[in-house]
Amino acid sequence: MAARPLIAAILVALFPIWAQAQDPRPIIQTMQQEPYSFYNTTGDIDGYHFIIANMILAEAGFDHKAQVVPIKRMINDIAHGDADCTIAASSPFAQKTFTMVEDIGYTLEVGILPKKGIDLRSYEDLSGLRIGVPAGMSIGDPFDSDTSLNKIETPDYEKSSLMLSFDRIDAIMGAIESVRYSAFAKAGIMAEIFGQPLVTQRYPFKLMCTKSLPSDGYVKLLKEATQRLRDRGDIKRAIDDFFSVSMSSLNSNAISTVNPIK
């Protein structure tokens, strides 16, 4: 009979340790992709989604940080309630999978980014171009289902940018901001190699949460915090500062681009 009180005492003693090991809620995850959330050259986490997520947590009164995870894990964790919220573009998939909570005041533009000198005034101007399509990327129809276009699969935005700079392709499909940032940050291309993009879709970035999270709990606090940060201009300043600092750092450490593509 003495064993039961002993076991109970051990469990009580261990409970604080177990509780501390759990992730504090709410858990905000941001996707591990430049320029949103990534590990920089010093091993620190950077990216404007990560910065904004932590601003929202702090404004809402929480003292823990956001998590950075691969996009597939982020989608799975939030869809199943293992994490609570994220910042992402409000695409049709996101709207179907998550609960839209609050607009952060910034928009994702996707489409086709041509090399300098190519003028894309309409979708029809894509005919005859060699268009790099990074593996796994999608921007929706009509482009995704258009079999008449000359689409060339590429590994990622970095290699796409290098291929464009060496005239292997004429344009790159994807998120305009990410293509440009990857050309500077990953490929080390400091010269302006891009023309004006043909934007096919615009998706506001939003704070969005798992459908199972009650709207009167964490969601309310996070929603109100996002509203205050956006309306004060704090989110816009954070985004402007991120790109300003990133570009200044890259330009001060310019890389000589060589052709690594065989």
Side-chain angles (χ1 to χ4, degrees):
M1 294 297 293
R4 289 182 180 177
L6 178 61
I7 292 173
I10 292 173
L11 290 174
V12 169
L14 289 177
F15 179 76
I17 299 174
W18 174 83
Q20 291 173 10
Q22 306 308 299
D23 291 322
R25 308 304 282 247
I27 299 172
I28 297 184
Q29 292 184 345
T30 57
M31 58 180 160
Q32 188 174 340
Q33 179 180 327
E34 295 177 335
Y36 311 121
S37 302
F38 59 95
Y39 290 91
N40 61 26
T41 54
T42 62
D44 297 319
I45 303 176
D46 204 349
Y48 73 88
H49 280 193
F50 180 71
I51 293 169
I52 293 168
N54 288 326
M55 289 170 61
I56 292 171
L57 283 168
E59 180 73 17
F62 301 104
D63 58 6
H64 60 276
K65 300 294 185 181
Q67 300 176 356
V68 176
V69 299
I71 187 169
K72 289 185 177 179
R73 178 185 160 188
M74 183 193 82
I75 292 170
N76 183 74
D77 284 358
I78 297 173
H80 292 89
D82 295 322
D84 300 311
C85 302
T86 189
I87 295 171
S90 53
S91 65
F93 172 81
Q95 291 183 44
K96 179 181 178 181
T97 309
F98 311 123
T99 296
M100 302 294 105
V101 176
E102 190 63 38
D103 195 325
I104 71 166
Y106 195 66
T107 298
L108 173 72
E109 294 185 339
V110 299
I112 315 298
L113 190 59
K115 66 183 177 183
K116 193 173 182 179
I118 294 180
D119 188 14
L120 297 181
R121 298 191 178 187
S122 68
Y123 184 84
E124 287 68 32
D125 292 331
L126 297 176
S127 179
L129 297 182
R130 300 164 297 172
I131 305 170
V133 178
M137 296 293 177
S138 169
I139 61 171
D141 290 329
F143 183 87
D144 287 352
S145 60
D146 192 340
T147 58
S148 70
L149 297 175
N150 183 14
K151 302 176 185 178
I152 300 172
E153 184 171 335
T154 63
D156 50 35
Y157 289 147
E158 176 188 356
K159 295 297 189 297
S160 298
S161 298
L162 289 169
M163 291 172 69
L164 188 86
S165 69
F166 289 101
D167 202 32
R168 304 290 183 86
I169 56 176
D170 303 309
I172 303 170
M173 175 275 274
I176 306 302
E177 177 184 73
S178 295
V179 174
R180 287 186 180 279
Y181 189 82
S182 189
F184 281 92
K186 302 286 286 188
I189 301 171
M190 299 303 161
E192 180 55 74
I193 62 171
F194 299 112
Q196 291 300 309
L198 177 67
V199 177
T200 59
Q201 305 279 357
R202 289 181 172 87
Y203 300 117
F205 280 115
K206 295 188 177 184
L207 173 72
M208 51 189 74
C209 299
T210 178
K211 289 183 178 293
S212 62
L213 196 61
S215 60
D216 60 347
Y218 297 140
V219 170
K220 185 174 185 293
L221 293 173
L222 297 174
K223 177 183 178 70
E224 291 174 348
T226 304
Q227 290 172 339
R228 291 193 297 271
L229 291 167
R230 183 194 63 221
D231 295 346
R232 291 199 305 256
D234 293 350
I235 289 178
K236 183 181 185 304
R237 279 190 291 274
I239 295 171
D240 291 345
D241 288 348
F242 167 76
F243 283 109
S244 175
V245 170
S246 295
M247 292 300 102
S248 296
S249 175
L250 289 168
N251 283 322
S252 66
N253 297 282
I255 305 167
S256 299
T257 305
V258 296
N259 187 357
I261 305 170
K262 307 299 182 184

